[in-house]
Amino acid sequence: MNFSWTDHETGVRERIAAVVKPLSDELIRTFEQMPLPDLKRTVASIQESLAEAGGFVVGSDPESATQGIAESIHLGVLARASVSLFLTVRATAEFAGLVACFGDASMRAKILDPLAKGRTIGAVGLSELGEEAEIGPAHVTREGDSYRLTGRKCFVTNGPIADWVAVFAHLEGHDAICLVGPDQQGVSSSARSELMGLNGIAISDLAFDEVLVPRDHLLGPFDSTAARSWYQLSADLSIAVAACGLMERTVHAASEHARHHRRGGKEIFARQEVRFKLAEMLTLSQTADLLTSRAAWARAAQSPDARALIRCAKVFAVENAEKVAGMALQITAGAGYRKGSFCERAYRDAKGLALAGTAVEVSRMAIADEILERY
Ligand SMILES: Cc1cc2nc3c(=O)[nH]c(=O)nc-3n(C[C@H](O)[C@H](O)[C@H](O)COP(=O)(O)OP(=O)(O)OC[C@H]3O[C@@H](n4cnc5c(N)ncnc54)[C@H](O)[C@@H]3O)c2cc1C
C-alpha cells in the first residue's frame, strides 16, 4: 500500500500552496464585504493563478474533466485557508466539467478555453425552493431552432458574479442544461444572500423569465440522470474536501489555544479532558481526509465504488466537521465564542457545509441502495 503522492502531485500541491500563502485571513475576510465587480475580478485572478499552478484542472473531454474533479483533492490547501474561496473556485470547475462531459465539440471549443485559464467564473443552478420544485420546476420549451427557459434557482454559489450559469431544467420530461449569461434578457439575480456562515461565497437566487437559449447553448435533453448525478457527485466531493480542510485548520486552532492558554496554573493542554478532545478531533479529521482521498482516487480511476465512496466521504466529513468545530469551541471557550474568532466562524461554516450539496439523509438512502446493488 502506498499513501504518498507522486512527484507530479507533490509539485502541484506545492505550487498551489505558493498561490494560497499570500491569502491571509484578513485579506480573505475582505471578500465578504467587497463590491461584486471587485470580487469578480479578485476571484478570476485567484483562479488564473491556480490554473497556472495546475490546481484548477478543467478537462476538455469527459475523462479529463472527471479526472480534474478528482484532483480537487489537491486544492485542500485552499480549503484550509478559506472554505468559502475553495467552494467558489470549485463551482467554476463544476460548471466547466458539465460542459466538458456533456457538451459537444463546438460548445467545448467555444466555452472551455477561458474557463481552463481561470479567466471566467461559472455557476450551476440545480436547487429550487421546495414549493417551486414541487409545483413548477424550471423548464425549457422549444421555439423553432432555439429554446425558452423559465424558472428559479436558489442558493447558487457564484450567482451574482458568474459569467456563465448552467441551469438544470426539464425539457419534455427529460433533464436538460441551459447555459446562460447574466446579461441575457430575462436573467436576474437577487442581491448577494446574507448567510449564517460561509460568508466569503457570493450566493444568490437566480430567476429566468422566458430566456432565449440558442441550440448550441443547450446540453441534452438526456435520457438518463447521468448529468445530474455527475454534478451532484462532483459537488459532494468538493464539499467533503472543504470539510476536511476546515477540520484540519480547526484542530490546529484548538491545539494552539490549548498550548498557550493557562488555567489553574497550567496550560490547558495538560488536562486530560482537553487532550482527549484533541485526540478525537485529530482522529476524525484524519479519517475524513483518508476517506475523501480514497473517494477522489476511486473517481479518478473510474471505479464503480466511486459513487458510494463519495457519498460516504461527504456524510462523514460534514457531520464530523460540525463535531470537530463544536469541540474546538469547547476548548477555546470564551476566546472561541467571541464573534469573528476562527472557531466561531468554523462552527458556522461547518453547519453550512452540512446543508450544502446532497442532503445527508438522501445520501444515506443512496448509500444503502449502493449496498443492496453492489456490496
Ligand atoms: C453554502 C451553500 C451553497 C450552495 N450552492 C449551491 C449551488 O451552487 N447550486 C445549487 O443548485 N444549490 C446550491 N445549494 C443548495 C443545496 O445544494 C441544497 O439543495 C439546499 O441547501 C437544500 O435546501 P432546502 O431548504 O431546499 O432543503 P430541502 O431539500 O427542502 O430539505 C429540507 C430537509 O428535509 C430533508 N430531506 C429532503 N429530502 C429528503 C428525503 N428525500 N429524505 C429524507 N429527508 C429529506 C433534508 O435533509 C433537510 O433536513 C447550496 C447550499 C448551501 C448551503
Side-chain angles (χ1 to χ4, degrees):
M1 218 179 286
N2 182 355
F3 282 99
S4 55
W5 301 110
T6 62
D7 289 348
H8 166 73
E9 287 168 331
T10 305
V12 168
R13 293 171 82 88
E14 283 170 2
R15 288 197 298 278
I16 295 172
V19 173
V20 172
K21 201 170 173 204
L23 301 174
S24 64
D25 284 352
E26 293 68 36
L27 179 66
I28 288 172
R29 283 182 195 186
T30 61
F31 300 171
E32 296 175 10
Q33 307 298 335
M34 208 176 249
L36 292 173
D38 296 347
L39 181 65
K40 185 171 174 144
R41 268 193 301 279
T42 307
V43 167
S45 142
I46 293 170
Q47 286 185 172
E48 273 192 74
S49 305
L50 289 169
E52 278 166 25
F56 182 70
V57 185
V58 168
S60 54
D61 56 62
E63 198 170 321
S64 57
T66 303
Q67 191 80 27
I69 295 294
E71 287 181 10
S72 64
I73 198 82
H74 302 312
L75 264 187
V77 60
L78 178 62
R80 198 175 180 280
S82 165
V83 179
S84 293
L85 189 52
F86 170 84
L87 291 176
T88 296
V89 169
R90 292 306 307 156
T92 296
E94 279 142 19
F95 169 87
L98 281 172
V99 177
C101 285
F102 301 99
D104 61 22
S106 71
M107 185 190 284
R108 293 202 296 258
K110 183 170 149 196
I111 294 178
L112 285 182
D113 186 50
L115 279 165
K117 293 189 173 110
R119 289 184 189 147
T120 42
I121 297 174
V124 181
L126 178 70
S127 311
E128 293 170 13
L129 291 175
E131 210 172 311
E132 285 176 5
E134 302 298 322
I135 300 169
H139 61 275
V140 203
T141 48
R142 288 182 201 267
E143 188 177 282
D145 284 344
S146 302
Y147 298 86
R148 291 272 175 193
L149 167 68
T150 299
R152 263 168 35 106
K153 295 288 167 184
C154 62
F155 256 104
V156 180
T157 296
N158 293 345
I161 57 170
D163 297 293
W164 283 107
V165 187
V167 186
F168 279 83
H170 289 204
L171 172 56
E172 295 159 4
H174 298 272
D175 260 348
I177 302 173
C178 302
L179 307 185
V180 300
D183 300 327
Q184 269 180 257
Q185 196 174 359
V187 178
S188 57
S189 170
S190 69
R192 183 177 181 174
S193 304
E194 287 191 30
L195 305 174
M196 171 181 160
L198 298 171
N199 304 108
I201 312 182
I203 288 185
S204 66
D205 297 342
L206 299 178
F208 308 96
D209 182 14
E210 298 274 320
V211 178
L212 185 68
V213 181
R215 176 71 193 99
D216 59 356
H217 285 182
L218 184 113
L219 284 67
F222 307 107
D223 287 332
S224 71
T225 54
R228 182 177 286 263
S229 308
W230 190 96
Y231 168 65
Q232 286 173 326
L233 286 175
S234 303
D236 285 351
L237 181 60
S238 295
I239 293 165
V241 175
C244 290
L246 186 67
M247 268 189 270
E248 193 189 327
R249 177 91 187 267
T250 308
V251 174
H252 179 74
S255 135
E256 278 295 296
H257 182 84
R259 272 168 226 252
H260 299 113
H261 183 73
R262 290 172 68 87
R263 184 64 75 200
K266 296 181 189 176
E267 282 81 21
I268 57 166
F269 211 111
R271 310 281 173 187
Q272 189 184 52
E273 295 81 353
V274 172
R275 296 172 77 97
F276 277 8
K277 275 194 197 70
L278 285 165
E280 189 178 351
M281 288 162 73
L282 184 66
T283 308
L284 294 173
S285 165
Q286 288 287 320
T287 310
D289 205 46
L290 270 177
L291 180 55
T292 304
S293 299
R294 175 152 160 67
W297 173 84
R299 184 117 209 242
Q302 303 197 8
S303 156
D305 289 332
R307 280 198 312 261
L309 285 176
I310 290 174
R311 293 187 189 286
C312 292
K314 196 254 176 178
V315 170
F316 188 85
V318 299
E319 290 188 344
N320 285 301
E322 280 193 72
K323 195 169 171 189
V324 165
M327 285 193 279
L329 265 185
Q330 197 64 32
I331 291 173
T332 55
Y337 198 61
R338 280 183 202 284
K339 199 161 173 50
S341 86
F342 175 80
C343 289
E344 179 261 346
R345 297 169 74 92
Y347 195 68
R348 292 186 284 111
D349 287 354
K351 189 73 228 178
L353 293 178
L355 299 177
T358 313
V360 289
E361 293 87 346
V362 176
S363 298
R364 281 199 165 88
M365 294 298 280
I367 293 166
D369 288 343
E370 293 280 337
I371 292 172
L372 268 183
E373 218 175 278
R374 293 193 23 82
Y375 292 88

